[in-house]
Amino acid sequence: MKVPWHTSISIDWSDWMYSDKLIEEFRNPKNMGKMENPDGVGKVGNPTCGDVMYLYIKVNDDRIVDIKFETFGCAAAIGTSSIITEMAKGLTLDEASKITKQDVADEVDGLPPIKMHCSVLAADALKLAIEDYRKKKGKKSDMKS
Amino acid sequence: MNVYMDHASTTPVDPRVVEKMMPYFMEKYGNPSSSLYEIGREARKAVEESRVKVASAINAAPGEIIFTSGGTEGDNLAIKGTALLDKDKKHIIISSIEHFSVLSTCDWLKKQGFEVTKVPVDRYGVVDLSELENAIRKDTALISVMHANNEIGTIEPIEEIGRIASDNGIIFHTNACQTAGRVPIDVRKMDIDLMTLSSHKIYGPKGAGAIFVRKGTRLEPLFHGGGHERKLRSGTENVPGIVGFGEALDLACREMRKEGERLTRLRDRLIRGILKIERSWLNGHPEKRLPNNAHFCFKFIEGESMILELDFNGISGGTGSACSSPTLEPSHVLSAIGLPKEDVHGSLRLTLGKQNTKEEVDYVIEVLPKIIERLRNISPFKEDFGEYESALAHEHKH
């Protein structure tokens, strides 16, 4: 059997290019848009750096029952925003706050090394949203007592 | 539809150029230095014929053309070659929007003890001539200002800069990789001492180019060896590449006027169509710009996402966004024309070429607004930068 000459060359595209999974999330993001009256909001990034992520959560019984995002940024930022909403939905707050940047990167089948900071943004935004919710809840229970 | 609109990056080789190159791979493969036998003489003849073509394209003499491997080598040879010549002259003037092959070369020279002044540009990217004159010192060895900017397409006042340099007895180098074959060049009229040319930007092969070295201008070579190219660039000549480059430049010059007018019409159609998108604007000079360059910014858009979306639709373009650069640094050119970082992210460069048609331009005009709308829909910023607005305004003041 004749083997084409180029089959012997393997290129690790992940150094330069996104995984199919990430591209899919970028093209068809889930849970995208602003949330009215969220229970917690996490905002990370800065327009000058080119990445800003807003993450909104709705909490019931210590569980994330709804989650949405709005993101200004590259495909990695948008794709990881989308994936973290899918990962966190339905989890308890304790479970969700354990999601790490590596979990996010793994879930999109890896990120090019130069784009790893985008997964940090997503994980941070979720943690901040949970913190925000807990802070607000704390204030409310303070007021009741 | 597949639409290639990144001709400032590279171009396809013209079939007529390929045809001219072909014999020099397998039949006329001789070494131009082996002129004692026929096959060597054939190669020498091809190289010298190409030299004549390149020289006549810029009103130079054939002896003033040194073939190189392309633009980066040309800029390195011109700048280092001049700087390393005179030990008393330790100062170089460049513009703040030069190509990396000039910027990085100057950064390296700084490490060798040189001082580099970067002359600012106005909001259109035009070099400030009075600042340039003020920057001149007794020990200025070289002024290097590009003919046209590769990102925003602005054409610089080269003739005036040439005069300033020559009045002050300073060597003047210009990187003409974006202009040779696209706009007329006359090295005599423009008072140019050194000029970099590239082949693959004008439908020639990659790995070929030349520098013009005005008669009497001395240079220190970068490559030492057999003394090829008047001892300025040792190494056996890339004969097929040189033949292709000469043919490509010759064709480009002969077709310049007609193609330039066609591209200008297409470019203006593209600009009119794209600027209908809300919160968008054109970068670079409205008139003094390359006939094939259109450069935009879109508010609240990040360029890498936009380029990927365009790619999904078969369109190839470029951006100055930090997210798409290997260093994560936003374009220094767009910063130099005064654009804040958050706007630099939303930049798009579309550069037209021979194969682009009106239909392709209309296709881009149809597709791009949908992409912008989708990305703005994902973004938290639609009308302004929200809570970041005041912080950004504060930052811009400083």
Side-chain angles (χ1 to χ4, degrees), chain A residues 36-77:
Chain A
E36 297 304 325
N37 308 316
D39 294 328
V41 185
K43 296 181 177 181
V44 290
N46 190 315
T48 58
C49 304
D51 290 308
V52 178
M53 211 175 273
Y54 286 11
L55 206 67
Y56 310 93
I57 53 170
K58 256 216 158 51
V59 180
N60 199 349
D61 231 1
D62 242 24
R63 202 172 277 278
I64 296 174
V65 290
D66 198 10
I67 180 164
K68 288 191 122 184
F69 81 90
E70 290 182 298
T71 294
F72 160 78
C74 63

Side-chain angles (χ1 to χ4, degrees), chain B residues 101-114:
Chain B
S101 55
V102 169
L103 288 179
S104 304
T105 299
C106 287
D107 284 345
W108 180 81
L109 282 170
K110 270 198 231 171
K111 282 193 238 160
Q112 318 302 315
F114 285 82

Side-chain angles (χ1 to χ4, degrees), chain B residues 97-99 125 145-158 174-180 182-183 288-293:
Chain B
I97 59 167
E98 292 301 309
H99 188 267
V145 175
M146 66 204 324
H147 190 187
N149 183 264
N150 49 303
E151 282 186 52
I152 55 176
T154 300
I155 298 174
E156 300 297 338
I158 288 306
T174 186
N175 171 1
C177 291
Q178 293 292 339
T179 48
R182 289 209 171 96
V183 295
K288 287 179 237 162
R289 73 184 301 132
L290 289 169
N292 70 330
N293 175 295

